Amino acid sequence: MRLGGRLAAAIEVLEDIRTRHRPTADALRDWGVSHRFAGAGDRAAVGNIVYDALRRKRSAEYLFGSDTPRAAAFGALLLEWDESPQSLNEALSGDKFAPPLLSEDEIEALSANRLDDAPDAVRADVPDWCAPFLEAQFGAGWVAEGQALSARPPLDLRVNTLKAGRDKVLRELSGMHAAPTAISPNGIRIPPIRGSGRHPNVQAEPAFRKGWLEVQDEGSQIAAILAGAEPGIQVLDYCAGAGGKTLALSAGMENRGQIFAHDSEKQRLAPIFDRLRRADVRNVQVVSRAEDLAPLERKMDLVLVDAPCTGSGTWRRRPDAKWRLTDRQLDVRMAEQEKILVEASRFVRPGGRLTYVTCSMFPQENVERIDAFLVANSDFMPVDHARLFESRFEGKSGSARIDAVKGISLTPAYSGTDGFYVAVLSRAA
């Protein structure tokens, strides 16, 4: 397929997403099934245009003065693929599978509409109703954070130190432009792809199959390290999900001590069993039933709450999520977080720690939830987060937004990671 056919396909997928309110991955998969002639390179290119269009949706619509899938797809190529109106029309000319060339009216709109003059929420590529939340969290820098959330993400990996060292894994991944992460001592980063490129399939690599590495954003790795799991302690991972942070905690504990992995939805735990085996993790017990946690009350040295949230910190990886999110869904998440904090705190022993993590950029899900919990639970108090970060990542405190009392924020613009919030609370002895 030439660029014209790929662009037409992307417009078709975007129209499917809009009219049927479908997740992007589902729409792209169904397009691939119904267009089996398309090769892997074509499918990757179509996916890149679609995801870029969703990341830069508001910018593209502003430039064209239109909210159509055509405007979003063409805008993606102009904003992210280093194309110009002239180069696009030249590339599409004579291609019978291409959409119609840019019209004189469209070219005139592109010339007249400048992003520098656009409203802040447009330049940040976020929904209007979310803009005040980002501004409250980041002040004058909120637009830059929104723009970073609209960029293509890198592919981050975590070295499983139970089985390999970072230098060894880097040698295995030579040729992939892999390099050590800036903050996490066990992380490896493959930079964002450009144009129609695609990331390597690391899950097909022998190093992955041997359990030497996991796919995990550097921010998630940092959050796991900040949780404070050490060899020999008792840990409850209360919202373990598929086990990404569970595995990171186990590696930090050198397979010593005990981790209880629990999630209120059993199906989320399903992938954890194969991952534990592949990683050679031996100190994790999976506990799917809440009633089976009763013997652990007030006995855990550490309870990790990787709370369900809006996922606004992951918008560069799942840009369709920011356009599906509603204020009602935010309210639901906040109620869930409040309930989970209360439930999970029961398991922290006197003198133990409760670590709260979200992949959200909104203060309502982060510091406001911790403030409310502390008001209602006087036996908990925040640790010195500045000292905590420095103790784990010496000399790198400038890579995170740290409030000694309120917690730690990692963001794409400031930290180069997905958006994460971490608060560590200590229970009175």
Side-chain angles (χ1 to χ4, degrees):
M1 295 174 69
R2 295 164 57 185
L3 178 60
R6 291 170 169 180
L7 179 57
I11 293 172
E12 179 184 337
V13 173
L14 288 166
E15 182 64 37
D16 184 29
I17 293 169
R18 183 172 77 161
T19 57
R20 298 173 63 188
H21 307 288
R22 308 184 68 206
T24 302
D26 291 351
L28 284 168
R29 182 183 62 249
D30 287 353
W31 180 87
V33 169
S34 62
H35 296 77
R36 294 186 182 279
F37 63 85
D42 293 324
R43 290 194 298 272
V46 172
N48 288 351
I49 297 172
V50 169
Y51 276 101
D52 285 340
L54 292 169
R55 291 185 186 103
R56 304 300 308 276
K57 181 175 181 288
R58 296 209 67 183
S59 292
E61 292 174 351
Y62 179 84
L63 290 176
F64 278 90
S66 168
D67 64 355
T68 63
R70 172 183 168 88
F74 271 88
L77 295 180
L78 295 171
L79 292 164
E80 296 294 334
W81 291 53
D82 299 323
E83 296 283 358
S84 67
Q86 294 73 28
S87 69
L88 270 179
N89 275 353
E90 289 174 5
L92 303 183
S93 294
D95 185 348
K96 65 179 181 179
F97 299 107
L101 303 186
L102 288 168
S103 68
E104 290 185 7
D105 287 345
E106 288 174 321
I107 292 174
E108 183 177 338
L110 290 169
S111 177
N113 297 330
R114 292 169 43 85
L115 282 179
D116 289 345
D117 301 326
D120 286 346
V122 171
R123 293 190 297 117
D125 277 295
V126 300
D128 284 332
W129 71 273
C130 296
F133 308 153
L134 295 176
E135 186 172 11
Q137 182 76 17
F138 303 113
W142 79 269
V143 172
E145 290 292 358
Q147 291 169 339
L149 278 171
S150 302
R152 288 188 179 184
L155 173 61
D156 286 352
L157 312 171
R158 179 184 60 80
V159 174
N160 176 18
T161 52
L162 296 174
K163 303 189 76 170
R166 182 158 66 177
D167 289 344
K168 182 178 182 178
V169 176
L170 282 168
R171 288 193 296 271
E172 285 285 314
L173 302 180
S174 61
M176 297 185 184
H177 306 291
T181 46
I183 309 170
S184 171
N186 304 317
I188 290 175
R189 171 162 292 182
I190 297 173
I193 56 177
R194 294 184 57 81
S196 61
R198 48 183 170 157
H199 276 130
N201 181 11
V202 295
Q203 294 185 351
E205 291 294 313
F208 180 86
R209 296 183 180 275
K210 289 185 285 190
W212 292 2
L213 59 89
E214 293 285 337
V215 177
Q216 186 176 26
D217 179 75
E218 186 184 15
S220 181
Q221 297 178 41
I222 294 167
I225 293 172
L226 289 170
E230 298 175 351
I233 70 171
Q234 298 289 300
V235 178
L236 170 59
D237 188 351
Y238 193 71
C239 304
K245 291 186 179 66
T246 307
L247 270 64
L249 294 174
S250 178
M253 295 168 65
E254 301 172 5
N255 249 341
R256 293 152 53 195
Q258 185 69 60
I259 300 175
F260 300 91
H262 169 73
D263 200 283
S264 61
E265 296 190 23
K266 294 180 182 180
Q267 63 268 31
R268 290 179 185 165
L269 286 167
I272 198 172
F273 298 97
D274 286 340
R275 298 180 76 183
L276 293 173
R277 283 191 290 270
R278 185 171 54 82
D280 197 25
V281 167
R282 299 186 300 273
N283 68 332
V284 172
Q285 291 187 41
V286 179
V287 183
S288 60
R289 301 197 312 169
E291 55 266 34
D292 291 340
L293 295 175
L296 308 182
E297 288 194 23
R298 295 180 68 87
K299 293 182 180 178
M300 295 293 99
D301 299 298
L302 167 65
V303 175
L304 172 63
V305 175
D306 188 6
C309 66
T310 58
S312 53
T314 66
W315 279 349
R316 57 184 185 168
R317 301 184 191 278
R318 292 186 282 272
D320 51 335
K322 71 177 163 183
W323 309 117
R324 293 200 308 267
L325 184 65
T326 66
D327 53 356
R328 171 60 182 157
Q329 290 171 325
L330 174 58
D331 289 340
V332 169
R333 289 305 189 201
M334 289 165 56
E336 290 174 343
Q337 291 152 6
E338 198 162 302
K339 179 181 178 182
I340 287 171
L341 270 171
V342 172
E343 292 175 346
S345 67
R346 296 185 292 117
F347 301 97
V348 182
R349 68 164 175 82
R353 288 188 170 186
L354 174 65
T355 298
Y356 177 78
V357 177
T358 76
C359 54
S360 173
M361 305 274 277
F362 297 159
Q364 298 97 315
E365 299 184 273
N366 298 336
V367 65
E368 290 182 17
R369 296 281 61 74
I370 292 299
D371 284 347
F373 175 80
L374 291 173
V375 168
N377 297 270
S378 59
D379 55 336
F380 283 88
M381 64 180 297
V383 304
D384 184 332
H385 289 94
R387 182 178 297 178
L388 171 66
F389 196 93
E390 183 64 21
S391 70
R392 299 289 190 267
F393 307 101
E394 185 176 356
K396 298 181 180 179
S397 295
S399 57
R401 299 174 183 270
I402 305 172
D403 185 299
V405 176
K406 300 293 186 181
I408 299 165
S409 293
L410 304 163
T411 69
Y414 202 86
S415 313
T417 69
D418 284 354
F420 278 89
Y421 171 79
V422 182
V424 181
L425 310 179
S426 176
R427 188 170 210 162

